[in-house]
Amino acid sequence: MTSLVRVYDKDFRERASRKQSLGVYLLMATGAIWIWVAYLLLVPFTLGDGTRGHSNGRECASRVFYDAGDSGDKRTYADREGERCAAERDLADSLAWLLISLPFATIGLFHYTAGTLRLQMAQHASETTRLAAS
């Protein structure tokens, strides 16, 4: 291989590797957002009373695992836990976070797949050239 071909091949592989790395970072950001949303939905929390350093607030059940009552009693989370608890962990906020994560997931998956494909194709072309030369 000539030196110009090697320089081009090295540059091509570096760009593909950067593209793949960008995809990994975007997918990690997506995962962090999903973990945050899961935390908001699954973990019970305490409402503060407005003063710093005091933790004597009201306990609220998680949005997912609250006691809905008997089968005939279909009360909502706000009915069971109160309006303050419902307002603190509003489902609209969790939905907004999930919607924000969709572009990160889509673009991240695209970049990771494209970078991986380019690296595999470069490896294939290199191996084909090596086998043809021998």
Side-chain angles (χ1 to χ4, degrees), residues 1 14-15 22 35 38 42 63 71 88 96 100 106 121 127:
M1 273 207 300
E14 286 175 357
R15 283 184 284 137
L22 175 62
I35 288 170
L42 300 174
R63 291 292 303 205
S71 60
E88 183 70 23
I100 288 170
T106 305
M121 291 304 294
E127 189 64 20

Side-chain angles (χ1 to χ4, degrees), residues 12-129:
F12 181 82
R13 288 175 192 256
E14 286 175 357
R15 283 184 284 137
S17 181
R18 282 194 305 268
K19 191 173 206 57
Q20 187 181 37
S21 296
L22 175 62
V24 167
Y25 291 134
L26 289 172
L27 290 173
M28 286 173 32
T30 301
I33 291 172
W34 289 355
I35 288 170
W36 177 247
V37 169
Y39 172 80
L40 291 176
L41 293 175
L42 300 174
V43 176
F45 58 98
T46 304
L47 291 175
D49 59 358
T51 59
R52 289 186 171 244
H54 295 91
S55 61
N56 54 358
R58 183 185 183 318
E59 292 287 326
C60 299
S62 71
R63 291 292 303 205
V64 175
F65 298 119
Y66 74 95
D67 183 19
D70 297 332
S71 60
D73 184 21
K74 299 289 186 191
R75 294 175 67 184
T76 65
Y77 180 80
D79 294 337
R80 278 287 184 198
E81 296 295 323
E83 290 296 325
R84 282 190 64 207
C85 291
E88 183 70 23
R89 296 268 174 101
D90 190 19
L91 286 177
D93 295 339
S94 299
L95 181 61
W97 279 108
L98 287 176
L99 289 175
I100 288 170
S101 75
L102 288 178
F104 288 110
T106 305
I107 296 168
L109 185 62
F110 170 76
H111 279 286
Y112 179 77
T113 304
T116 301
L117 180 65
R118 288 178 183 188
L119 287 172
Q120 290 294 320
M121 291 304 294
Q123 181 65 31
H124 174 73
S126 174
E127 189 64 20
T128 303
T129 303

